[in-house]
Structure formats: C-alpha cells, structure tokens
Amino acid sequence: MIKSQLKQRVDHCYQLGVEKGLWTDAAADSYTIEVPKRDGQGDFSTNLAMIVAGKEKRNPREVASQLVELLGGGDALLDKVEIAGPGFVNFFLNRGIWSSVLPKVIEQGDCFGLADFGEGKKVLVEFVSANPTGPLSVGHGRNAILGDSIARVLAAVGYDVQREYYFNDAGRQMRVLGASTKARYLELLGLDNEFPEDGYQGNYIYDIGRRLQEESGDGLKDKDVLFFKDQAQKHIFADIDSTLKRIGIAFDSYFNEHTLYEDGLIDDVVDKLRNKGLVYEKDDATWFKTTEFGQEQDRVIIKNTGEPTYRLPDIAYHREKFRRGFDWMIDIFGADHIATVPDVMAGIRALDLDDSKVTVILHQFVTLLRGGKQVKMSTRKATFVTVDELVDEVGVDALRFFFLMRKPDSQLEFDLDLATSQSQENPVYYVQYAHARLCSIERQAKEQAVAVGELDAADLLLLKEEEELALLKTMAGYPAMIAGAARDLAPHRVIFFLMELAGQFHRYYNKHKVLGENPELTRARLQFCRALRVVLRNGLHLAGLEAPEKM
RNA sequence: GCGCUCGUAGCUCAGCUGGAUAGAGCACCGGCCUUCGAAGCCGGGAGUCGCAGGUUCGAAUCCUGCCGGGCGCACCA
C-alpha cells in the first residue's frame, strides 16, 4: 500500500541512475524494501546501495549518497532520507501519510487486502484425499485446514481456485473394510463371524453394523463382502463430509481414482511410457525406469498380479489435472507420502508435461499429547483421535487456529489438556476478543450518541500517538502479508499477523481512550477503530475464523 | 546405508527471496478493575540461533561435514 508507493519512487530513481550512468541495472530485481527493526531507522529501508555496490565492487555508502540525491525528500510522501550502517538507505515518511490507509480500508471493507496478481489463473488444490476407510483423524485435520487455508489465501490474491478431494474406493484396503464390516454385523446378530486379522478395529465399524441391523435386521447376513464394503463406504463418506462441513471446508470436486480405469487412462499412460522406452517387464511385473529421472532404482507400476501400484494412477491423475487445464497444481500431503513425490514428478516429466506447475506441500505429523504423554495412533486400531472428537473438545475456531499456527514443515504438537483446560487463555480468544472489543466501542459510541459523522469529517491527522502510528503501519502491511503468504504458500502468517494486530490494539486500548472529551479526537479514533475492525475481521475470515461481535 | 525435513529462551514456535543490537506465546514472579469489556494491560529474566568449517561488506537464513529428533526408502496407499 504505502510501501508500494515508496517502491515505485525508488524504482524510478534507480532507473534514473541507470540512465545517468551511475550504475547498471543489475540489481533491479534483487533489492528489497523492508521495515527496519529498530526505532530511529525510519519507516522503511532499502539495501539497494549495498546490492549495487556488491555487484560493481564499489563502496556502498558512496552509492547510497548518489541514490539519496536522486530520491530527494521533503515532499508529500518522503520527509527525509538517510544513509545508515553499512549502506542502508532509511526512509522517513511524512507522518500524515500513514493515516491515508484508513479511508482505503473503510471504503474497501471486506475487499481490503485482496489482490489480483493471481490473474485468474486456474489453480487446483488437492487435499485431504483420504480413502473412505474411517473417520478423519488428527493428521487429516491438519491436512484439511492447511489445504483449505492455502486455497483461501490464493483466492484472496486473485487465483481461480478449485478444491479437490481424490480418493480410491477400490483395492485391498477397501476389501478389508468390507470384511470388517460384515464381521461386526454378524457379531451384532450373534452369528458366527471371522474378523479379518488386519481388519479395522475402530468402533465406527460397529456403528455401521448397528445401522445396518436397524435398517434391515438380519436380512443382510448372506450378502457378500462387496456389499458391506459399499455400505461402509457410503456411511464413512457421509461422516467425512459432515466433519469437513463442520470445520468449514467445502470441496468443489471429488475425483474417484476408479474413473481413471474406466476411461482407459491407466493403460494409456503405460502405453505412452512404453512407446518412449521407459517401461520394461521383469519378474512378471511392469517397471518404470525412474532411474532415467535421477532416482536410485526403477519402480514397479504394475504388479505381477496385474494390479497397478499406487504410483501409476497417481501419475495418470496428475496428467488429468494438466489436461483439465490447470495452470498450477498444488498437492497437500502428509510427510509419510514423501516417497511418492519423485515418482509422480518423474511420470509427469516422462509424459512431457511441465513439472514446475506442480507444487507439493508436505506437512509434518501432528503429535497429540494427553496427560503429558504422547498418544499413539493407528488407523486400524481403535487408538486414533478423530477430527470430530477434537472439535468437540476445543471448538472449530481453536482447531483451525492451532493447526494454522505452525508452518507445514514443523511438527505440530497438540496438547489436548492444554487446549481444553486452558481454553480461557487460548490465543484464538485473544484475537477474537480484540474484535469484540472494537465492536463494543462502536456500540458504546452509539449508545452515547456520539456523532461519528462521515469519514471525511474526521481529522485523521489527530491520530499521532505512537501506538496509533504503529497500528496504522500494521494495517497498511496487511495486503503485503497476504501477498507473501500466497507467494510462499504459508498461511500461518495470517495467524501471526492477527496476533500482532490484536496485541497492538489491546495495548493501545489500555493506554488511550477512544471515547473521550475531545469530540474531534473521538471522531478520528472511531474511524481508526472502524478500520481496525475491518482488518481484523478480514484476517479472521481469511483464516476461516469467526469474528464475533460479542463474546 | 540413502533421501527429505527439523534443531532458535524452561516449553511450544515465529523470523517474510542474507541485512543493522534475536522475537512472540505459554510457564514463573510482582503490579493494574468507581472510567470505552480484566478473555485485557504494565513490569521482571532468560538464548555461544545443535557443533565445526566455508562463501562476503554482512549468515539463524546459503554451501559442506558431523551430532541429534521425525518421516520415508514395497510388486501397501
């Protein structure tokens, strides 16, 4: 916002210097404008002079002084420019400039912070993608929140985002599910049954059996495993859907692996690879020459049973994504899927597709702590915690907030006792409370019949407290934060921004009165608060969180 | 053994394409409610950024090698 105004100015002066022969344009894209950490170093600073000096083996401070001369100062935007340290150029902006964000924030409202540099490009975000063998567990929860948040952030900067869920309802695991379900059904009827050795032991299988019993009595006892598989799948998917809905996630599309077979796309991929000489037979299996793509060994794509391994449909699926015309494809996987990534990428390249259009985000695991001890989880055993249970304990907002607090690369420790027993000190409330407080101030103003007046009736230059200036700067940085979060696929920055903004506001609130004796100042501060509320609400919504008016 | 990833305050983690004197929350201790909501604020102290080299004006950030945790290394997904 204000930074981009400054950036334009610096770019212009830099080019001016190029024309004058002061330096080359070698540093054009590599210098940055940042907010200095310490007071006295200005509102912004640039390392331009040091970059130029580095490239041209010159004295940075000398370059800086030439730049300063071109930049000028003492105008509407720039108050003064200084050289500091090893060659930083510090910008001191005209103090009044900061309050100019307020009208923009208030006018743009819900749209403040949005950008359009995504240019409407089609992005497919694939996430969750859990096969319907059981309810979503904690790991899926992180995947779901991460994927959804990335989708939200990308949409906010102008991408045309589609959320997709890829699943497979065939195969060995699903047969085991069917057999497990049938066994439980028979068991509930008091009949002989054989529970599979590696069957799914979760209680939800009993639940499904019970429902079948309620619906059909013992009429299903002679149905085959396939029937029970279909029934189990139907119920489990319904549960998954309701869980996702509960945490505010809606998919635009579901892609069933099965369609790849029906449409002959699996065979087609094999043919294509075979024609390129990248496939061979050995030990009754079909192998893909992944060694041609930098891997240590070739991989089997069709087993000696005639069944494809997971990587073949994965490759075919990604080719479908390309065919469907996406400009960018993002996969959100748990860290345990890391081995598949090179295989799929190799497949993509082997099919002459551009693998740089595919970005894989691998998130680390979630470790649950209960009673100070790590909860061991296994999908087969009944020892996993579901997303639903987590939501029951901590609520949707806390769930989203906690899952977003860490960058994907970090392991996430979720202390259930802490999240439940100390929910009063939960950071999500800290942020939401700031919003509620702002709403409360507005209500108070209304009750006291304070004349808020029109926006242009307030003298925003009265906002000159240190805390006000800091908050104005933070608000002005909101669009840049979103842009960065989108660029780096790092939605956790939204959370950190919200904590910072809320913290600054709480401090301000305790030190300065919004509704005071001076009507002019009160008017200005009410506008200020209105803008704060907009930014806080936008940020909360961007993270999929509620922005409560009362708590 | 190989690959990926992480290692920053007692704990959990930020640190945005290398930048100026290293940040937050929690926990601990001490203060603040007759005044816009105390789910809040103020004050206190704590780190050889895993270790050792290297790259350069400058490294928590990039490179190499070790150490340690996690995840993978199937004709499972």
Side-chain angles (χ1 to χ4, degrees):
Chain A
M1 163 137 296
I2 283 165
K3 181 177 169 180
S4 62
Q5 287 178 40
L6 180 64
K7 169 85 169 145
Q8 279 179 18
R9 173 86 163 256
V10 177
D11 280 341
H12 177 72
C13 292
Y14 178 58
Q15 284 306 323
L16 219 59
V18 173
E19 285 165 25
K20 291 190 172 193
L22 295 176
W23 45 65
T24 68
D25 66 350
D29 295 322
S30 46
Y31 75 91
T32 57
I33 293 179
E34 291 176 5
V35 179
K37 285 175 191 160
R38 303 192 64 81
D39 295 338
Q41 297 175 338
D43 299 296
F44 290 105
S45 74
T46 183
N47 58 356
L48 176 55
M50 288 182 291
I51 301 284
V52 170
K55 298 211 187 251
E56 303 181 10
K57 302 287 176 208
R58 295 172 56 190
N59 180 338
R61 291 187 67 104
E62 179 200 320
V63 177
S65 70
Q66 291 178 322
L67 179 65
V68 167
E69 207 163 307
L70 291 172
L71 283 162
D75 49 66
L77 177 65
L78 270 180
D79 183 20
K80 60 175 179 175
V81 186
E82 283 180 358
I83 302 170
F88 286 102
V89 174
N90 292 340
F91 303 99
F92 295 80
L93 269 45
N94 199 318
R95 289 178 80 83
I97 199 79
W98 290 107
S99 58
S100 70
V101 299
L102 292 189
K104 284 179 187 157
V105 171
I106 292 168
E107 281 162 24
Q108 294 177 23
D110 293 345
C111 296
F112 176 72
L114 303 185
D116 55 8
F117 63 79
E119 298 175 321
K121 285 185 188 143
K122 286 180 68 181
V123 183
L124 185 76
V125 182
E126 182 213 327
F127 60 110
V128 183
S129 294
N131 288 341
T133 57
L136 295 181
S137 64
V138 175
H140 298 124
R142 183 177 193 185
N143 186 299
I145 300 303
L146 182 61
D148 181 62
S149 301
I150 284 175
R152 284 169 189 262
V153 167
L154 291 177
V157 297
Y159 287 96
D160 178 10
V161 180
Q162 185 170 334
R163 294 164 169 82
E164 185 156 283
Y165 187 126
Y166 174 75
F167 70 101
N168 178 21
D169 55 8
R172 201 189 72 87
Q173 303 217 4
M174 294 304 290
R175 283 197 298 276
V176 173
L177 176 72
S180 306
T181 306
K182 180 168 186 179
R184 294 308 192 205
Y185 171 74
L186 295 175
E187 181 185 335
L188 287 167
L189 291 172
L191 300 171
D192 282 348
N193 68 88
E194 278 182 42
F195 190 79
E197 192 170 340
D198 55 353
Y200 292 91
Q201 299 178 20
N203 285 327
Y204 62 95
I205 303 289
Y206 278 111
D207 294 339
I208 295 167
R210 211 165 285 123
R211 279 160 83 168
L212 292 174
Q213 190 188 357
E214 283 164 13
E215 288 164 16
S216 313
D218 66 351
L220 307 173
K221 64 181 187 229
D222 295 324
K223 295 282 188 183
D224 59 12
V225 167
L226 188 68
F227 172 83
F228 283 93
K229 189 218 83 173
D230 285 342
Q231 291 298 315
Q233 173 196 332
K234 195 178 78 185
H235 285 111
I236 289 170
F237 239 131
D239 283 347
I240 289 176
D241 270 336
S242 77
T243 301
L244 290 170
K245 197 172 181 182
R246 194 176 172 203
I247 59 177
I249 294 175
F251 282 91
D252 301 299
S253 49
Y254 292 79
F255 194 104
N256 190 337
E257 179 182 321
H258 196 58
T259 62
L260 295 168
Y261 293 88
E262 288 168 351
D263 298 343
L265 298 172
I266 301 288
D267 294 338
D268 190 55
V269 166
V270 178
D271 289 345
K272 288 278 189 310
L273 294 179
R274 199 185 300 277
N275 289 341
K276 287 173 165 282
L278 293 170
V279 157
Y280 62 91
E281 313 293 331
K282 192 180 90 179
D283 303 334
D284 292 331
T286 304
W287 296 69
F288 175 27
K289 284 189 188 171
T290 39
T291 48
E292 298 271 320
F293 300 92
Q295 293 196 42
E296 288 192 0
Q297 48 185 306
D298 293 336
R299 303 289 182 185
V300 171
I301 51 173
I302 300 177
K303 301 184 239 179
N304 58 18
T305 61
E307 258 183 324
T309 61
Y310 65 89
R311 36 182 95 81
L312 180 51
D314 274 4
I315 292 167
Y317 172 43
H318 279 81
R319 188 177 66 158
E320 272 307 281
K321 291 183 184 177
F322 277 92
R323 194 192 57 73
R324 288 156 68 195
F326 291 102
D327 300 300
W328 191 12
M329 288 142 273
I330 299 173
D331 299 345
I332 315 288
F333 294 151
D336 54 337
H337 282 64
I338 188 162
T340 78
V341 177
D343 297 339
V344 173
M345 289 300 191
I348 289 168
R349 274 189 286 157
L351 295 166
D352 298 320
L353 298 168
D354 180 3
D355 66 341
S356 72
K357 288 185 171 182
V358 177
T359 302
V360 178
I361 302 279
L362 290 165
H363 66 264
Q364 295 298 317
F365 279 6
V366 178
T367 51
L368 277 182
L369 296 180
R370 196 191 284 280
K373 290 181 74 174
Q374 189 172 328
V375 181
K376 293 282 180 193
M377 289 183 287
S378 153
T379 310
R380 289 247 172 68
K381 308 252 168 17
T383 57
F384 60 88
V385 176
T386 66
V387 172
D388 272 325
E389 288 165 348
L390 218 48
V391 174
D392 289 343
E393 287 192 42
V394 305
V396 175
D397 283 347
L399 179 97
R400 291 194 75 114
F401 198 97
F402 277 115
F403 276 151
L404 271 184
M405 273 201 303
R406 257 111 235 187
K407 63 183 172 195
D409 285 341
S410 295
Q411 288 178 52
L412 194 153
E413 193 166 272
F414 206 120
D415 190 327
L416 288 163
D417 301 318
L418 200 76
T420 52
S421 72
Q422 302 206 345
S423 60
Q424 297 299 317
E425 260 111 37
N426 201 312
V428 68
Y429 295 125
Y430 183 79
V431 175
Q432 291 180 322
Y433 183 57
H435 183 266
R437 233 178 191 175
L438 284 160
C439 294
S440 175
I441 292 172
E442 286 184 19
R443 281 194 298 271
Q444 277 289 331
K446 217 168 270 176
E447 279 172 29
Q448 295 177 17
V450 175
V452 181
E454 291 306 309
L455 180 61
D456 50 10
D459 181 4
L460 300 180
L461 293 179
L462 294 173
L463 302 169
K464 52 194 176 192
E465 295 292 344
E466 196 183 320
E467 292 81 3
E468 288 166 337
L469 215 55
L471 277 161
L472 287 169
K473 288 182 184 182
T474 303
M475 281 192 273
Y478 179 69
M481 181 279 294
I482 296 180
R487 183 196 59 209
D488 299 337
L489 302 178
H492 68 283
R493 290 201 202 137
V494 178
I495 296 299
F496 282 87
F497 177 90
L498 286 170
M499 302 239 279
E500 174 64 27
L501 185 66
Q504 280 186 29
F505 168 67
H506 284 310
R507 265 166 264 149
Y508 171 69
Y509 177 89
N510 275 276
K511 194 166 170 186
H512 302 288
K513 254 177 110 67
V514 175
L515 306 172
E517 293 92 53
N518 181 342
E520 286 299 315
L521 186 58
T522 297
R523 258 200 289 277
R525 286 185 173 170
L526 277 171
Q527 295 297 346
F528 177 65
C529 286
R530 190 193 284 184
L532 276 173
R533 199 192 125 180
V534 168
V535 177
L536 217 40
R537 176 161 42 95
N538 290 1
L540 282 164
H541 286 166
L542 182 62
L545 303 166
E546 295 290 327
E549 299 190 2
K550 286 182 184 175
M551 294 174 68

